[in-house]
Amino acid sequence: MTKYTIKDIARETGYSISTVSRVLNNKEEGMSKETRKRILEVVEEMNYRPNQFARGLITKQSNMLGLIVPNISNPFFPELCRGAEDEAVNNGYSLIICNSDDQSSKEERYIRLLKEQQVDGVLLASMNKLTRENEGILTDSQIPYILVDRGLDVSTATGVFMDNFKGGYLAGKHLIELGHQKIGCMTGPVDITNSNNRLKGFLQALKEHDIPIPSHYIMNGNYHMEDAYDQAKQFLANNEVTALFASNDLMACGVYRAAFELDISIPNDLSVIGFDDIPFGEVLNPKLSTIRQNTYQIGKESVKLLIKKIHNEPVESLFYEPTLVVRKSTTKLPERSFS
Amino acid sequence: MTKYTIKDIARETGYSISTVSRVLNNKEEGMSKETRKRILEVVEEMNYRPNQFARGLITKQSNMLGLIVPNISNPFFPELCRGAEDEAVNNGYSLIICNSDDQSSKEERYIRLLKEQQVDGVLLASMNKLTRENEGILTDSQIPYILVDRGLDVSTATGVFMDNFKGGYLAGKHLIELGHQKIGCMTGPVDITNSNNRLKGFLQALKEHDIPIPSHYIMNGNYHMEDAYDQAKQFLANNEVTALFASNDLMACGVYRAAFELDISIPNDLSVIGFDDIPFGEVLNPKLSTIRQNTYQIGKESVKLLIKKIHNEPVESLFYEPTLVVRKSTTKLPERSFS
DNA sequence: CTGAAAGCGCTTACAG
DNA sequence: CTGAAAGCGCTTACAG
């Protein structure tokens, strides 16, 4: 099981390594069919694989892409990874998935690591304010990169984003149309654009319908389930609201748990709407109403964009439209008296 | 932002590239502190990073590890990935995570890809019967590998496993001690050892207590939520059982959904116990009783083992003990009449 | 259509 | 303690 090199193929076929290299790289079609065929045969036979180190040393390409996500335990991201990976592999790239655990120090470490690993490009889904300098590292090192799902400032860099403002707006509007007046909100991390935009859209909906929202109706969440549970437990104990918008489904899960423990019935006592549409939304009892993102698609398109960027083709940011998914966790306010 | 090479450092410091290389690789301590210090200074100053292609060409090491999981959407695996990744990074390795989607063809593709990418070792958490030949590829290519969580036959290769038999046994025993006599089971894929062992342990518990189990009490699941939902919906409609063991939590989620839609109350009409202890178990209503695995730990230890193997140190398979976690989805049979 | 040669950026015996 | 030189396995002008 010794590893063969291009020399072995050359010797075996009687051609020079230059020629072997050429057919392996599909260079210059002006080459006899015979030669090509013969060489390919032997390559197959000997199960020869080019050494990527040697190849990379010259081409400066690794055919690897990096993807940094903030929290692999949020089912949103595995879904995103799946889309990204499928697209990457279909284009001859492999994907290195890194989990920054929402720590900008880890994020920085991974960016450096990916750079040293000579990836051809990186997908950054992990931005927060603290990491503006991390983006600097990326820019400085000239590695092509694409922002995914999260960005500091959409105008700075190319990326694939969701219209989070509209998503928040849809969530707010849905609750309002159900007759709710006392509506709470659990935001995502304050330093993340997508979370801010969800909040802004939500507030805009309330404003348009002249529904006031006292500041203590707003909880600052961090997109995590545990924290959401802790906060909701306290918040709901002093229950005033009849509806709640959780800025992602993971936090909605935490809210469910808190509500259940406090004997607050969803949706009879409290309507809850989430954001993302993770698969577990359908398992929750009652099934979770939410704002759907095309997560898998976002992953795929991000890689497409990144590959274009690597090839120096012009790229433009992509924006997706979220949609409202009404299930069983939101209900009309009047119905409460029937329960 | 041009990239510096070892030559630049040599020129700048006045030393030869051999010397620079030596200090960079911490070789031969017999080297003047002065030299070392000066070179390190310049390296720092110029922010020099060695080219991994050139380095790998000689050392034949990439400092990359591969991890193939069967289903990244099952929260069990992100948790496993986190453990593996943390341990990998702490040891100077990066982790390439691949998702085989339970397809042995994809699994094979990834094994080849990782091999071509010249990873130093691979973690295989994705074995099924169809892939015995995939293991062959791994063996042939001489890449060190470790089986994680799943194995064809524990004796074949080194790995990190859970005592699945005991886990199944604990689940069965728990249900029996609660007074159940009609107990159903949804298995994992028939061709996966860990799933078979869970079933065997479960059956052993029933046998010890002289509890018969007709074959139609057993559903062949595939560890996925959707399929579990479909099967459970049919199974529970012809409801005979008072308790059900789902061989993983993801399937338990599907069972919950089916039960809910059929208006079957858990645990009053049906006790349910899962396996894995994924975070969502605590969000389900009622909270899911389950068999806990130290998933994060398993990930970490797998990487430790793999690194040992890479260094040609002796390695032995690791076996973890599962524990029973009783929450609210399982209850005493008599209590049903009170509800 | 094909080959000889240079060179990518390192590491590692081998000398001294 | 340090340097010159060979070589890792490829690709790519340059010739022919």
Side-chain angles (χ1 to χ4, degrees), chain B residues 28-238:
Chain B
E28 315 171 34
E29 273 297 357
M31 174 182 307
S32 86
K33 300 283 172 210
E34 271 304 297
T35 313
R36 163 169 251 97
K37 196 181 149 211
R38 174 76 189 124
I39 291 178
L40 255 18
E41 264 174 27
V42 175
V43 163
E44 176 72 16
E45 215 168 85
M46 301 175 72
N47 194 25
Y48 163 74
R49 305 287 162 186
N51 180 316
Q52 298 302 321
F53 292 129
R55 184 174 260 182
L57 190 51
I58 297 169
T59 63
K60 284 150 180 27
Q61 294 190 342
S62 62
N63 295 319
M64 291 193 304
L65 267 24
L67 167 58
I68 306 183
V69 298
N71 178 16
I72 191 78
S73 297
N74 176 352
F76 174 81
F77 290 104
E79 194 62 15
L80 186 84
C81 290
R82 285 186 52 233
E85 188 174 40
D86 286 351
E87 187 64 26
V89 169
N90 285 339
N91 286 278
Y93 289 92
S94 353
L95 228 213
I96 302 187
I97 298 169
C98 310
N99 180 38
S100 74
D101 263 337
D102 270 330
Q103 298 168 235
S104 59
S105 61
K106 269 200 174 184
E107 188 181 292
E108 179 186 337
R109 190 163 155 197
Y110 277 127
I111 291 178
R112 292 192 191 283
L113 185 148
L114 290 174
K115 182 182 153 194
E116 284 180 35
Q117 217 59 258
Q118 334 261 7
V119 296
D120 295 339
V122 353
L123 258 22
L124 195 53
S126 181
M127 274 278 162
N128 60 53
K129 223 164 214 157
L130 294 171
T131 62
R132 187 179 282 280
E133 55 192 67
N134 288 351
E135 195 179 356
I137 299 174
L138 232 27
T139 314
D140 287 353
S141 60
Q142 316 245 49
I143 300 179
Y145 70 97
I146 291 285
L147 263 27
V148 187
D149 175 54
R150 297 183 181 187
L152 291 176
D153 182 346
V154 168
S155 61
T156 326
T158 321
V160 177
F161 307 101
M162 158 69 47
D163 186 343
N164 288 289
F165 182 91
K166 182 175 174 190
Y169 183 84
L170 287 176
K173 189 162 159 249
H174 173 59
L175 262 16
I176 293 164
E177 285 175 349
L178 253 18
H180 295 278
Q181 303 268 343
K182 297 179 171 180
I183 307 177
C185 175
M186 184 178 281
T187 72
V190 289
D191 53 359
I192 294 181
T193 324
N194 72 7
S195 135
N196 280 330
N197 289 339
R198 286 174 199 185
L199 176 61
K200 281 183 195 153
F202 171 74
L203 293 177
Q204 172 69 21
L206 297 207
K207 196 175 164 196
E208 280 181 13
H209 294 79
D210 290 321
I211 296 186
I213 177 163
S215 64
H216 65 281
Y217 275 14
I218 298 182
M219 289 171 275
N220 289 318
N222 62 1
Y223 278 162
H224 286 263
M225 191 162 80
E226 276 302 309
D227 177 79
Y229 163 72
D230 291 339
Q231 289 204 47
K233 199 147 181 193
Q234 188 142 0
F235 182 87
L236 295 176
N238 320 326

Side-chain angles (χ1 to χ4, degrees), chain B residues 266-286:
Chain B
I266 300 173
N268 293 328
D269 301 329
L270 180 74
S271 281
V272 175
I273 185 167
F275 203 115
D276 282 351
D277 195 22
I278 63 176
F280 289 92
E282 293 218 74
V283 173
L284 292 175
N285 182 357

